[in-house]
Amino acid sequence: MQHPELKRWLQEADPTRLDALWRHADDVRRLHVGDAVHLRGLIELSNYCGRLCGYCGLRADNRDVPRYRMSHTEIVACARRAATLGFGTVVLQAGEDAALTREWVAELIRRIKTETNVAITLSLGERDTADLANWRAAGADRYLLRFETSDRSLFDRIHPPRNGQPSDRIARLHTLRELSYEVGSGVMIGIPGQSFDSLARDVKLFRDLNLDMIGVGPYIAHPATPLGRTNAPPAQPADEQVPNTAEMTCKVMALARIVCPAANIPSTTALATIGGADGQFLALQRGANVIMPNLTPRQYRLSYQIYPDKACFYDQSEENVSRLGTRLHNIGRQIGTGRGDSPNWQQRTTPSPSPAGRRCS
Ligand code: SAH
């Protein structure tokens, strides 16, 4: 699918045509990644952050959020809980916290790997190559780093450099790939200043990067951030601005599935926040195949405020997981077993007689 068609879909309003898009994405999903819905236990291990991202409530200068950092023991207990609940993966996410040193994280990875057999996904922001290589060697399996938008000037506006170092998330993604991580990225949808043209280019970049995991969610304004409290006039005509709606998010998920058929695609928490549990479920029928239940201990969870009123369905209780299993069963799906590695990663790392046929289409 090329740029004009991607953009047309993003601007499509006709419900009958959109139904065809949802059906196509669902067919591609079934064919390439099957009916299993993999569960990832999300552990938000620290909300300290040295950055000043214009969109994120964890930005360094937000004094209204109580800061916390979990101990190794607390994090390992959450990972054990994930294993007990039958989740094949934990996602360790945090702000860019200088106290999460190379050795601290490596030791944590080794402890989780010794005590459980869950796969480990890291989402710790922009870290240098030596850190990433060290954590891979310690046993980390996957890394998530959203490029947020492929529009360089918009990115620079919302994501100021740290310590004078301009960020190049695309270069980081290439490094992660060279280090043989399963590589995940994605964008926010409806960032003020984001146009349909630039969002169509984002989807094209998913394909060009041949991503193993793609996470997209609506941008949600946080009042303690420059982007969230801005009263400035929009940077572009209103009809060019991408809305931050559940439907627009589903369109991007569906297109992501079509351009990267074998990627793992979560139905994200941000989507659940604006679309409710029903919206989160709908996305599973429009291309998504992963859910990330939150395993952060309750006393910390409220403080991990990247945006306000973060939804949290299906968290740590057996009852919730079994409720989720029943709901999935009702739509012809089931909870995945095992690690749930990305089929795209498996294909690109397993030698094949015809590699050309195995890329994202
Ligand atoms: N520090 C890590 C993890 C950040 S939180 C990193 O920068 O990669 C993970 C994702 O949450 C971000 O990549 C961003 O896409 C999303 N996010 C942050 N603030 C948001 C907001 N206000 N609305 C919606 N999504 C947001």
Side-chain angles (χ1 to χ4, degrees), residues 44-259:
E44 297 154 329
L45 58 92
S46 163
N47 71 349
Y48 284 91
C49 190
R51 296 205 84 106
L52 288 167
C53 300
Y55 45 87
C56 182
L58 304 189
R59 52 186 279 118
D61 70 358
N62 182 7
R63 308 255 173 271
D64 296 337
V65 59
R67 302 285 170 167
Y68 72 88
R69 182 179 305 117
M70 291 168 65
S71 68
H72 278 187
T73 307
E74 288 174 306
I75 300 165
V76 173
C78 290
R80 281 221 211 84
R81 183 85 193 118
T84 308
L85 289 168
F87 301 176
T89 299
V90 290
V91 178
L92 306 181
Q93 192 179 85
E96 285 189 22
D97 176 0
L100 307 186
T101 60
R102 183 182 305 166
E103 205 26 62
W104 190 93
V105 176
E107 179 56 25
L108 174 64
I109 293 166
R110 285 191 288 268
R111 276 188 63 180
I112 293 175
K113 287 285 176 168
T114 310
E115 300 195 27
T116 72
N117 49 22
V118 295
I120 297 179
T121 303
L122 300 176
S123 175
L124 303 175
E126 292 161 47
R127 302 289 302 227
D128 66 32
T129 305
D131 290 347
L132 300 173
N134 186 279
W135 299 338
R136 180 77 181 116
D141 301 278
R142 311 177 188 142
Y143 206 100
L144 300 175
L145 184 69
R146 292 186 179 178
F147 59 80
E148 315 294 3
T149 168
S150 59
D151 175 335
R152 186 72 222 190
S153 72
L154 177 59
F155 183 77
D156 288 344
R157 243 182 294 143
I158 65 174
H159 193 87
R162 188 177 181 195
N163 304 328
Q165 302 263 40
S167 28
D168 188 345
R169 289 192 163 202
I170 308 295
R172 292 288 81 204
L173 293 170
H174 286 300
T175 301
L176 289 163
R177 195 181 159 94
E178 279 154 21
L179 292 169
S180 81
Y181 278 94
E182 265 182 58
V183 180
S185 192
V187 297
M188 287 180 289
I189 291 157
I191 307 166
Q194 185 181 46
S195 68
F196 288 100
D197 265 314
S198 95
L199 189 54
R201 281 194 288 272
D202 295 347
V203 176
K204 170 133 190 326
L205 189 53
F206 298 161
R207 178 177 53 197
D208 294 345
L209 291 168
N210 192 13
L211 293 174
D212 303 313
M213 304 175 282
I214 302 170
V216 301
Y219 161 74
I220 299 171
H222 191 303
T225 62
L227 216 58
R229 70 171 97 85
T230 185
N231 292 318
Q236 61 195 336
D239 61 347
E240 265 301 301
Q241 170 65 46
V242 172
N244 58 344
T245 58
E247 183 175 89
M248 187 58 60
T249 305
C250 281
K251 284 183 185 176
V252 178
M253 281 184 189
L255 294 170
R257 170 59 66 205
I258 292 165
V259 302

